[in-house]
Amino acid sequence: EALVFNDPDFQHEDLNFLSRSQRYEQAIKKSSLMVLKLREYGITDPEEIYWFKSFVHRGRPEPLDLHLGMFLPTLLTQATPEQQDRFFMPAWNLEIIGTYAQTEMGHGTHIRALETTATYDPATQEFILNSPTVTSIKWWPGGLGKTSNHAIVLAQLYTQGQCKGLHAFIVPIRQLGTHEPLPGITVGDIGPKFGYDEMDNGYLKMDNFRIPRENMLMKYAQVEPDGTYVKPVSDKLTYGTMVFIRSLIVGDSARSLSRACTIAVRYSAVRHQSELKPGEPEPQILDYQTQQYKLFPLLATAYAFNFVGAYIKDTYHRISGDIHEGDLSELPELHALTAGLKAFTSWTANAGIEECRMACGGHGYSRCSGIPDIYVTFTPSCTYEGENTVMMLQTARFLVKSYNQVSSGQRVAGMVSYLNDLSRQRVQPQHVAARTETVRLNDPVSLVEAYKARAARLVEAAAKNLQAELNHRKSKEDAWNKTSVDLVRASEAHCHYVVVKLFTAKLPEISDAAVCAVLTELCLLYALYGISKNAGDFLQAGILTNAQITQVNQRVKELLAVIRPNAVALVDSFDFSDTHLGSVLGRYDGNVYENMFEWAKKSPLNKTEVHESFHKHLKPMQSKL
Amino acid sequence: AERTRLRRAVVSAIENDPTFSRDDQYFQSQNERYEAAVRKAVHVQKKMQEMGWSENGPESVYVYRALSGDVAFLLHRVFMRSISVLGSDKQVAKWIPLATEFQLIGSYAQTELGHGTYLQGLETTAVFDISTQEFILNTPTISAMKWWPGDMGRSATHTVVFAQLYIQGKCYGVHPFIVQIRSLQDHSLCPGVIAGDIGPKMNFEHIDNGYLMLQNVRIPRENMLNKFCEVQPDGTYLRRGSQQINYFTMTSIRISLISDEAILPLMKACTIAIRYSVVRRQSKLKPGEEEAKILDYQTQQEKLLPQLAAAYAFHFVNRYLQELFNRAYKEIRGRNFALLPELHAFSSGFKAMITQHCTSGVEICLRACGGHGYSLLSGLPSLYTKILASCIYEGENTILLLQTARFLMKCFAAASAGQPVPPSVTYLAAGKPGTCPARDKVDFLSPDVYTEAYQHAAVRLLSSTAAKLQDLIQSGAEKHEAWNQCTVQLVQAAKAHCQYITVKNFVETVEKLENKAGIQKIMKHLCDLFALHGIFSNAGAFLHAGYISGAQMDMVTASYLDLLAVIRKDAVPLVDAFDFTDKSLNSALGTYDGQVYQRLYEWAQKAPTNTQMSPAYEKYLKPLLHNKLSKL
C-alpha cells in the first residue's frame, strides 16, 4: 500500500474535478504505469497483483479490468493449449488487450436470447460474425469502447445449417499499430453513465466479419474443419466462473457498505446540531437516537456481510477442489446460495450506502463526502452478473425443489436442511409447532431459530401458492409468474436466515472476550433490527407474539445506546486509509470544515474570480433590460 | 382542458427554441452546464417578454416545468419571495422592481457549513452600530461560513443573509438582511466578502451553489427585512406579529418543491420505466413464444405499478396542501396566524414523506431498467441524483417529521383532554377500538376498510408513543432526554399520520371524480393499489396494532397482487396521461414511439468520447502496446 501511495507517479488531481475524458485518461495512465511497475518490482503472485491494483486505483474500476478479470481467465479455462500458445503470452504482455463481449443492447441476464451470429464457412474455414439487428449490438462491455484491440465475443454458432447455441470466439477488433477499427467492425463508447467514468464501456457491431476457425474457444465444444460439431462433456462447469464472480460481489457489498459507514459514523461524531438539553452546546449528531437508528444497524450489517463474504470465498475454494476431482454434487446448492446472497447483499448495501449519505445531511450530497462516488460505483452490481430479481428467483427455484423433495419424503442437506422439519410439524397445527420453544431475545442462537422458522414458513407458503396456481390449470410458466413476488420473499427470508446464522456462528471463534462482547451486541442488533423491520412475517407465522415484538423494538433501542461508545472504534477497525476512503467528511482526524473549504477552492468554477458567463450573458442582460 | 392547451403551447414554444435545447446535457462539464444554465435563464426573460407572459401568470409555471429546472437564477425567485413576505412595503417597493428588471441577481443565504435545519444554531452575526446606523456582518468561525446557497458561487450580486442580531450586546435571534456581495459594475467581490463555488455535487452541476464569508461588512439599517421586526435608529427593537413568520418562507418553499422537485420527477421516472418495460423483452413466459415484455412479469409490476399509484396519490394530496396553504396565506395577510402551526406541521411532514417516497420510487424505476437504466442517456440517473437532494434541502426529513410529531403530540394531548383540535386531526379523539371486519380478499377493495386500518395504525402509534413519553417523564427522565428516547417511534407516528391523510384524501378525490371514460374506475384501482401496497409492505405495523389478523394479511396480499394484473393493462395510458414530451423526458429509453434501441445507439455515437480522438491512445496505450513488440 505504502509502495503505491508514496509513488509520485500515481499522484493526481482530485478525480471529482476532472471531466470524463480526463478520468479515462488518468485511469489508463495509471494502468499502464501499474503494469510497468509490477514488472519492475517483479510482482507476479495473483493475490499481490490484486492488492497492488486495488491500491493503484483505490478500489475504482479501470479500463483493463475486463482484460485482467475476464479475458485472461477465459483464455485459461476455455482455450485449447494451441490457442493459449497463440494468445495468452501476447495478452499477458499486453500486446493484445482484450475484453469480454456478452451482453447485447436488447439482451442481458437471459443469455440464451443473444442474437449475434457466428456462421461457419467450410470453404474458407472461417466463421462469419454478424450483428443482425440493432438489439444485437454488443453493449456495455468494459474496455471495449476505446481500449481493447481484441474481444471474446459470445455468439450463436451456426454450422451445417443448424444453430448450436452460444459459443465464445476471439475476435480482433482494432488494427495492431494504428488502433483503428478493422473493416467490418463498428466500435465505440456508449456514452456517459451514472458512475464508472473512467471505464470506456463500449458497443460493437460486426458486419460479415471473418475470423479463422481456430479463433473459436474449443477446449470443450469444437467445430471440425468440415463443419461437424462436437458437443462439450458437461455444461455445469460454466457455473464455476459465475459462482466465483458473484462471491466477489458479496465481498464488494461488504466493503462498499463498510466504507460508507466509516464516513457517516465519523462525520456524525464531528457534526453538531440543535440542542438536546436547553442551554447546552449543540451535541454530536451521533448522540441522537434517530441518527443511531439509521447508522448502527448498517454498521452491524457491514460486519455481517464481511463474515458472509469470507464464508462464501472459503466455501468456493473448498468446492473448487471437489470440482477438480469431478465431484459436482455441492455445486447446485452453492450456485443457488451465491445467486441469492449476491442479490440480498447488494440490494441491502445499495440502500445502506444511500442511508449513510443521507445521514450526512447536505454535505453528504457534495462529492467531497466521497459517498456519491461509492454509490454510483456500487449500484450497478444490483444489475450486472445477473439482475437481482432474476437471481432471487433462481434461489427460489432451488428452494421449491428442495421443498418438493422433502414433501415426497426425501431429506435435504446443507443450508436448506430446516425444510426437513416441516414434514414433522405438519402432524400438528403449524402455529403451535412453531411455538414449542419460546424465542430468547438476548440469545443469537435462539434468534437464528426464529429466522429459520420464518424462512421455512415463507418457502412453504410460496410453494403452496405455486401448487394452487398449478391446480387452477395454469401453465407452469404462468403459475411461476403469478407466484414470483411470493417466491422472491421466500428467497429473501432464506438469505436473511443464512446471514444471521453465519454471523452467529462467527461469535464463538473470537478469542478476545471484549471483542466478542461487542460483536455479540452487533449481532443481536442485526438480528433484532431485521425482526423489527419484518415484524409482519414473524407475527403472521406465530413465531413471535405482539408483546415480544414490542420487546424487540425496545431492545433495539437499548442496543443503540450500548453500541454508541464503541461506534467510532468499530469503523476505525475497518482500517481504510484516508486516501482510500477519498472523503473529506470521513477523515480520520476529523478536521472536516477546514478541509471542505480547501477542497471547494479547487473547484473548476473557481478557477477565475469572475466567471466568463458574467461577461457573456449576465452583463448584456443587465444592460438590456 | 383550457389549461392543458395553454401548457402545451408554452411547452412547445420553449422546446422549439434551440437556446433551450437539452440535447448535450449528458455530455457537458460542470463549467459548461453552468454556462448553459445562465444562458437559458437570461433567454427565458427575453422569451417571456417577447411572448407577453407575466412572471406571475400561469404560463410561467409551465415555462419552468418545460425547462425541467435546468436553468439558473431559481434562487433569485426565492430572494424575491422572501423580500415580498418579510419586507416592509417600502422595502418591497425598492427591491422588487430592481430584481424584476434583473438590475441585480439575488440569492438566499441561510445554511452554514456547520449548521443546517436548526435555524437557531446559526453563527453569522449582525451587530447594530448606532453611531453609523449600520449593521456590521461577520462570519466569526469557519463553521459559520454560508455554504450551499444556490446562484451564490458565481452569479449573485445580492443575497438575503440570515444572522444573529445583536444590539448593544444583546442577542435578539436570527433575522434576515439584504447584503450586496458583488459589484454591479464588474462583478468583482465587494470589500470584506469572500465567495465562491462549493465544488462538484451529485447533481445540480448547472447551479453554482456557493460559500460566503463576511468580514466587517457594513450595510445600512434599512437593509434588515422589517415587516415583522424592526430596529429603530436609537437601537430599540420592535416586534410585530408572530415570530413564526420567519418560518413562512420556508413553509411556502416546502410546499412548492413537493410538486416540482418530487412528484414531477417521479412521474417522469415512471413514464420512462413503464414505457421501456413494454419494449424490453427478456426470457420466455411460455416455451416456444417470443420473449415476454418485462412488464408482464409480476415482479416487474410489483416494482413499478406501486410507484405509479404513489405518483397519483401524491399529486392529489399536493392539491389538498395547496388549498390549505392558500387559505392560511390569506389569513396571514390579515395578520391572523391561527392556521400557521397546522400548516407548518403539515408542510414539514408531507415534504418529508413525499420526497422520501418519491426518491426511493425513482431509484426503483432506475433499477427496474436493468443495465440501461445506469446509462445517463436513460435520463434516470440525473432524475435520481437531483431528487435525492430534496430529502435534505429545505429541512432534513427526519427533523421535519419530528416537527410534525411535536404538533401531533400536542393535538393528541388536547384531544384526550377534550379540547378542540384542527379538523384534520379530529380522528385522534375518535379513535375507536376494535378489529378489522374484512372476511374475504374483496373486502379489502372497500375504501372504508383500508382507510380505517390506516387510521387505526396512526392512532395506535401516536397513543403508544405518547404513553411511553409519559412513562419516561414520570419515572424521572428529563423532558428532552425522554423525547430523544422516543424519537424513532415519533418519526414512525408522523409518517403513519401522513400516510393516513394521503390515503383518505385519495379516496375522497376518487369519489368526487366524474366517471368519464371509466376514469373513476381506473383511479379507484390505483387508490386501492396504493393503500394495499402500503399495508403489504408495512405489514408489521398493521399486525402489531392487532387490528388486522394474520389471515387478513394474506387477503391483503392476495388482493394486492390481483390488482397488479388489473392495472397492468392501463399502465401505459396512465403514464401517457402525465403528458411529458420526449424532449422534457430527455431519455433514450422513455420516448413515446418506443424506438429505444435505435435511439440509444444514435445518442451514444454523439458522445464526445466518440467524436473526439482519445488522447489516451497516443500518450499511454500506444507505448504500452508497442513496448513488447519492439523487444520481441
Side-chain angles (χ1 to χ4, degrees), chain A residues 603-616:
Chain A
S603 167
L605 274 180
N606 289 335
K607 288 249 157 78
T608 53
E609 184 70 43
V610 176
H611 197 272
E612 57 179 340
S613 292
F614 172 72
H615 303 290
K616 269 200 199 150

Side-chain angles (χ1 to χ4, degrees), chain A residues 609-610 614 618 622, chain B residues 34 73 75-76 79 95 103-110 124 137-139 145-162 177-197 208-220 223:
Chain A
E609 184 70 43
V610 176
F614 172 72
L618 291 180
Q622 289 175 329
Chain B
Y34 167 67
F73 306 157
L75 266 284
H76 183 69
F79 174 81
W95 293 101
Q103 294 305 303
L104 54 84
I105 295 165
S107 174
Y108 181 84
Q110 178 178 309
T124 305
L137 281 97
N138 266 301
T139 305
M145 217 185 321
K146 294 292 175 188
W147 200 271
W148 280 111
D151 296 334
M152 197 174 76
R154 314 290 343 195
S155 306
T157 60
H158 287 67
T159 184
V160 173
V161 171
F162 282 77
F177 302 86
I178 298 176
V179 181
Q180 180 173 358
I181 57 173
R182 287 192 174 86
S183 145
L184 290 173
Q185 268 66 51
D186 62 4
H187 214 62
S188 63
L189 292 170
C190 295
V193 172
I194 297 172
D197 173 80
D208 52 325
N209 296 83
Y211 59 77
L212 172 70
M213 231 176 173
L214 302 168
Q215 287 160 341
N216 290 318
V217 173
R218 289 176 169 264
I219 55 168
N223 277 21

Side-chain angles (χ1 to χ4, degrees), chain A residues 409-435:
Chain A
Q410 298 172 39
R411 291 188 69 77
V412 291
M415 287 288 186
V416 287
S417 55
Y418 61 83
L419 293 173
N420 292 326
D421 303 339
L422 280 174
S423 55
R424 256 188 288 133
Q425 285 175 13
R426 203 161 298 120
V427 187
Q428 314 160 349
Q430 197 199 343
H431 287 257
V432 182
R435 233 186 272 166

Side-chain angles (χ1 to χ4, degrees), chain B residues 589-603:
Chain B
L589 302 189
T591 45
Y592 187 75
D593 64 8
Q595 295 295 324
V596 167
Y597 297 118
Q598 195 59 42
R599 198 161 278 112
L600 204 49
Y601 186 42
E602 279 167 17
W603 286 15

